[in-house]
Amino acid sequence: MSARTPVRGDTEQGGRDHSKVLCRRCGADVPAAVAADTSTPSPHQTYENAPDLRRELHQVLALEAERDGRQARSVTGPPADATVVERAWLLRRAALMDRMALNDPSPGPVGAAVQTGEQLVLHDRLHPHLVAGPNQPDAIGPDFSHRSYVRQEYTAWTAAGCPGT
């Protein structure tokens, strides 16, 4: 009989504890229910009705110019809540970078998607009342890139009529 090397997550009896899974990034035990969260839509579901990449890029750049004061706000009507507008810009930018990384999974686009996803998460941690999807930023599981969270929020944002734009 050979000696068995314990694996993190094994039970005392030597069997695997299936209520936990190992995080691929850090090796920590993560509840399987969190890791198996299927409420996050697929990229296809998320972006199937999104504007083409070129149009979305122009719209995100226009929002950034309005946000920075380089361009007057083009929408007439009552002023929008600055926090909601900021979040819409962060979300659209993160979704745009996610879509670009889906088209080109090289380090540059993927890095941009990770960075913009993290910026959205940081904003939403400060303003949890603006989260539109079913999960808070840190509840999606071991997706440290936050791209699943971006997809969840983009799906909920479009379903709500794109507030803040």
Side-chain angles (χ1 to χ4, degrees):
M1 200 179 255
S2 64
R4 186 176 171 286
T5 305
V7 177
R8 187 177 286 159
D10 281 1
T11 63
E12 294 295 321
Q13 296 79 23
R16 178 85 177 123
D17 177 1
H18 293 286
S19 69
K20 302 261 185 190
V21 295
L22 295 177
C23 171
R24 288 178 292 213
R25 182 174 183 204
C26 67
D29 286 326
V30 177
V34 171
D37 180 6
T38 58
S39 64
T40 304
S42 72
H44 175 74
Q45 292 169 319
T46 300
Y47 304 123
E48 72 181 330
N49 295 318
D52 67 74
L53 286 173
R54 174 177 251 152
R55 181 173 179 212
E56 184 67 1
L57 176 61
H58 286 289
Q59 290 176 353
V60 168
L61 290 173
L63 285 172
E64 184 175 1
E66 289 175 11
R67 175 184 167 269
D68 295 345
R70 292 178 281 133
Q71 179 178 322
R73 187 166 179 250
S74 59
V75 178
T76 58
D81 179 332
T83 306
V84 173
V85 171
E86 176 78 7
R87 184 179 193 276
W89 173 73
L90 288 168
L91 175 60
R92 289 182 74 180
R93 189 174 65 140
L96 176 65
M97 294 300 120
D98 182 40
R99 291 173 64 198
M100 293 173 103
L102 289 167
N103 285 341
D104 178 5
S106 63
V110 170
V114 170
Q115 181 182 20
T116 56
E118 178 66 20
Q119 290 168 351
L120 175 66
V121 165
L122 292 173
H123 184 272
D124 285 359
R125 284 178 185 152
L126 293 173
H127 307 283
H129 63 283
L130 295 177
V131 173
N135 298 303
Q136 289 295 315
D138 299 312
I140 297 249
D143 175 13
F144 294 99
S145 71
H146 301 291
R147 291 173 69 187
S148 295
Y149 178 72
V150 169
R151 293 173 193 149
Q152 168 197 279
E153 290 302 297
Y154 189 85
T155 300
W157 176 75
T158 54
C162 307
T165 56

